[in-house]
Amino acid sequence: MTGDPTRPLHAPRAAAAGGPGLFITFEGGDGAGKTTQASLLEDWVRTRGRNVVRTREPGGTELGLRIREIVLHHRGHIDPRAEALLYAADRAHHIATSVRPAVARGDVVIQDRYLDSSVAYQGAGRVLDANDVRALSLWATDGLLPDLTVLLDLDPAAARRRLDAADKPFDRLEAEKEEFHARVREGFLSLAADEPGRFLVLDARAAPEELAARVRNAVAERLG
Ligand code: TMP
């Protein structure tokens, strides 16, 4: 065996999809409006004559749906490292079997959540080392980064009001305290500051149509 076995996982490669297609992700706290914006973008990209694959993590595959059930609804404690590995397992399978083939075909993949969610929730939220969590996801996906990541930024108190108004039972992550969600928010903002070329950061309090227009502009530049 070569290498130092005590070294953490390292990810030598990290690159945008680089195929004929595009890989676009939506990120942000629970209640920020990602799903609404992903749907509006999907409609618009279709009007441009491009094939769209709309997907999400966790749960973009049949295997992923089973993992989603565990991470969101398991009763009782899940160790933070186990939680990070479950999200990474979902991601590895999803990217290899669905996202990479779609980008290679020339499709536009529009995805709710990706590796930045792991760095924000398991890294900042659960207080695992952010570099390790990112490296784990990059290993899981053989280094795939999105061409564009839209971060819908919302303060946790406003997000909680939206979730309360939706009147649905909270999942394991949504049920976390406001301090947890405040760390997640800071985690996302710090990721966006590190990679300004990949991220479009939007104030999620703006009107949905205004946000959609900003997203369309960013995507239009990349669609060519
Ligand atoms: P959602 O699909 O309804 O947004 O729920 C997914 C939940 O899982 C959400 O609370 C964020 C969380 N999550 C992580 O903690 N880590 C991850 O890597 C991903 C993709 C999601």
Side-chain angles (χ1 to χ4, degrees):
M1 203 171 120
T2 56
D4 173 0
T6 63
R7 263 191 89 218
L9 274 175
H10 72 291
R13 272 180 357 98
L22 266 187
F23 180 31
I24 301 164
T25 57
F26 282 84
E27 296 282 8
D30 301 278
K34 293 179 296 302
T35 308
T36 305
Q37 287 305 319
S39 295
L40 291 169
L41 180 64
E42 175 182 7
D43 294 345
W44 179 78
V45 173
R46 285 193 200 285
T47 67
R48 303 266 309 224
R50 296 291 295 260
N51 204 43
V52 176
V53 172
R54 179 70 195 290
T55 187
R56 67 172 177 180
E57 289 184 7
T61 61
E62 240 176 78
L63 174 72
L65 283 172
R66 299 175 73 173
I67 296 175
R68 182 180 174 92
E69 181 58 31
I70 298 170
V71 279
L72 297 191
H73 303 296
H74 175 74
R75 285 175 202 278
H77 178 65
I78 300 181
D79 177 78
R81 286 170 193 254
E83 186 180 272
L85 287 161
L86 285 164
Y87 282 109
D90 165 72
R91 183 160 302 134
H93 187 67
H94 181 227
I95 294 304
T97 63
S98 176
V99 173
R100 276 196 189 272
V103 174
R105 282 194 303 269
D107 294 353
V108 177
V109 176
I110 300 177
Q111 180 166 319
D112 277 35
R113 299 193 180 281
Y114 185 48
L115 87 175
D116 302 301
S117 276
S118 280
V119 180
Y121 282 80
Q122 282 65 56
R126 301 287 190 218
V127 202
L128 294 176
D129 183 285
N131 289 324
D132 286 350
V133 175
R134 182 178 155 88
L136 175 66
S137 271
L138 287 174
W139 178 80
T141 63
D142 199 15
L144 183 69
L145 286 177
D147 297 290
L148 171 69
T149 297
V150 179
L151 173 59
L152 293 167
D153 177 52
L154 188 62
D155 84 79
R160 179 48 54 112
R161 285 195 293 276
R162 286 186 183 188
L163 291 176
D164 285 343
D167 201 23
K168 284 195 292 198
F170 288 166
D171 63 41
R172 278 181 63 254
L173 284 293
E174 286 167 345
E176 284 293 337
K177 294 199 251 336
E178 199 162 312
E179 299 92 86
F180 175 90
H181 291 287
R183 289 199 298 278
V184 169
R185 181 192 192 194
E186 289 312 314
F188 276 129
L189 289 172
S190 130
L191 283 164
D194 285 348
E195 284 182 78
R198 171 161 72 91
F199 275 89
L200 171 68
V201 183
L202 298 175
D203 181 339
R205 292 169 306 176
E209 201 31 64
E210 188 187 326
L211 294 170
R214 304 267 315 266
V215 174
R216 283 198 294 270
N217 284 343
V219 173
E221 279 171 21
R222 287 162 175 86
L223 273 180

